[in-house]
Amino acid sequence: EKTGVPEWMLGCFKRRCITFYDGRSDASTEVFWLQGRNMTIDLRLPPLTHQVKQNWRQADQQERYQLSNYEGWSADSRWHAEQLSWSGGVSFQQHSRWPEPAILQRVGDCMMEFAPSGVYVEDWRLQSCSAGPLISLRLVEERDEAGNLRHQGGALIICGNWAGLVLGRAQHLPLCPNGQLRELIKQNTDQNVLEAAFNFETSIGRGNLDDGYIIEHSLDINRMGELLFSLDGFEYDVQNNEIRQTIHTDKITLLRRFTIDSIETCHPFTKNSECQVFGKTWFHQESETLSRYLE
């Protein structure tokens, strides 16, 4: 029996717009949401033309501050009493920027998210519209061949022709002033602190399991156009009920350990949603005008 979020919530969604209680809207921020059975990946970036053009190592102090305001995370998701809430997981930010649960409703390829307080509503559009794999794995850790811990916590979620990868930090950060990452970055030039702070990945790619997924959006702009993750080296560890992946590169060998949320070879992602007979009858009766400009 399949448990977790409702079927209509599964897939990769791109935000079309967020509207706030004061009447202002944002349709420019690049926001992606990948939803597995019990896991979420979320990435929020400025438009590509406004993004810092190099990663933190090449960036100056002002650019590092901009980078420290980007958002990427993965977390466990729970659907209860018609609301979706999140817990656990790992986040690039050090404080919860979106503390409210989500009231969600799906119509066609549109999923509307309402904040219970009424402070905002978000309009999400399904990207994974054709049947394909639905895989969600929790990253336990990533180590190099010498046993050094490189990443801890994170996720890999595949929704048809879209996929997301989150690699958490290997170590906890120093206490951030006001609990905010940007304040830590603003006040620090210590290379060790910066290395620890930016040792976090959230990337979204498009493709398939035959040819791989190519990164189109990432916290690290240098990752754009690269393979999201290697398709090779996966094996099932029966004893521990884990998925292990050994990755060989020119410079290093890595071992990633994942626990399994779900592995489904073909999920029927669809842009259609349920509709009562009355609604369908009305739509067909009025389709002469309703369908004039549909796309």
Side-chain angles (χ1 to χ4, degrees):
E1 181 183 356
K2 294 173 181 176
T3 60
V5 304
E7 297 293 306
W8 52 263
M9 204 181 296
L10 297 166
C12 175
F13 295 84
K14 186 178 191 296
R15 193 176 76 185
R16 176 173 285 192
C17 182
I18 184 171
T19 300
F20 297 98
Y21 76 101
D22 63 2
R24 292 183 296 169
S25 298
D26 170 13
S28 298
T29 301
E30 297 277 3
V31 188
F32 284 84
W33 171 356
L34 279 87
Q35 183 61 50
R37 290 279 171 197
N38 300 279
M39 299 168 56
T40 300
I41 286 177
D42 187 285
L43 176 63
R44 298 168 187 252
L45 301 168
L48 185 58
T49 54
H50 293 178
Q51 290 179 31
V52 176
K53 297 303 185 288
Q54 55 270 325
N55 72 8
W56 72 269
R57 287 186 175 86
Q58 291 84 43
D60 59 32
Q61 194 164 1
Q62 182 181 1
E63 290 171 329
R64 284 199 298 267
Y65 182 81
Q66 289 178 252
L67 290 171
S68 70
N69 256 328
Y70 292 3
E71 297 178 65
W73 53 268
S74 65
D76 293 331
S77 45
R78 179 172 181 256
W79 179 249
H80 176 69
E82 303 301 306
Q83 292 188 359
L84 186 68
S85 58
W86 294 270
S87 63
V90 293
S91 176
F92 181 59
Q93 292 298 324
Q94 293 295 282
H95 71 291
S96 177
R97 285 192 167 175
W98 305 91
E100 293 195 68
I103 301 170
L104 295 165
Q105 184 173 357
R106 173 91 183 268
V107 178
D109 70 344
C110 171
M111 186 162 71
M112 300 301 293
E113 175 185 353
F114 299 88
S117 68
V119 68
Y120 64 80
V121 57
E122 288 181 285
D123 175 349
W124 300 89
R125 300 303 169 103
L126 183 68
Q127 306 299 298
S128 42
C129 295
S130 56
L134 174 64
I135 299 171
S136 44
L137 306 174
R138 293 182 183 85
L139 179 70
V140 178
E141 63 179 25
E142 175 190 283
R143 292 184 181 271
D144 64 22
E145 55 198 330
N148 299 309
L149 183 66
R150 290 168 54 94
H151 292 285
Q152 189 167 224
L156 172 63
I157 298 181
I158 300 173
C159 299
N161 59 334
W162 289 87
L165 177 68
V166 175
L167 303 175
R169 296 181 177 92
Q171 61 193 84
H172 293 294
L173 295 183
L175 188 64
C176 295
N178 301 320
Q180 297 187 353
L181 178 65
R182 63 191 178 204
E183 294 300 318
L184 179 71
I185 299 303
K186 182 164 64 174
Q187 298 178 22
N188 247 293
T189 55
D190 185 316
Q191 198 72 10
N192 291 329
V193 173
L194 294 174
E195 187 78 45
F198 286 105
N199 181 33
F200 192 103
E201 174 167 357
T202 304
S203 298
I204 305 292
R206 182 158 40 169
N208 54 67
L209 284 176
D210 292 322
D211 305 313
Y213 293 82
I214 302 302
I215 293 175
E216 295 188 359
H217 307 273
S218 180
L219 290 178
D220 181 357
I221 202 165
N222 285 6
R223 286 276 278 145
M224 298 277 281
E226 294 184 355
L227 200 62
L228 180 67
F229 63 94
S230 172
L231 297 177
D232 300 323
F234 284 98
E235 59 181 1
Y236 178 53
D237 179 353
V238 180
Q239 184 175 354
N240 296 299
N241 191 29
E242 290 182 349
I243 298 291
R244 293 189 170 217
Q245 183 187 22
T246 304
I247 304 168
H248 299 286
T249 70
D250 294 338
K251 299 178 181 178
I252 198 169
T253 297
L254 302 173
L255 174 64
R256 289 178 182 166
R257 294 173 47 220
F258 298 92
T259 58
I260 303 167
D261 175 42
S262 68
I263 299 178
E264 300 165 44
T265 56
C266 190
H267 179 80
F269 300 104
T270 174
K271 59 185 178 182
N272 297 337
S273 62
E274 293 183 3
C275 179
Q276 295 179 10
V277 173
F278 168 80
K280 291 182 179 179
T281 302
W282 165 82
F283 181 79
H284 289 301
Q285 286 176 345
E286 303 297 339
S287 63
E288 188 171 321
T289 54
L290 296 178
S291 300
R292 278 179 300 189
Y293 309 114
L294 291 182
E295 50 181 55

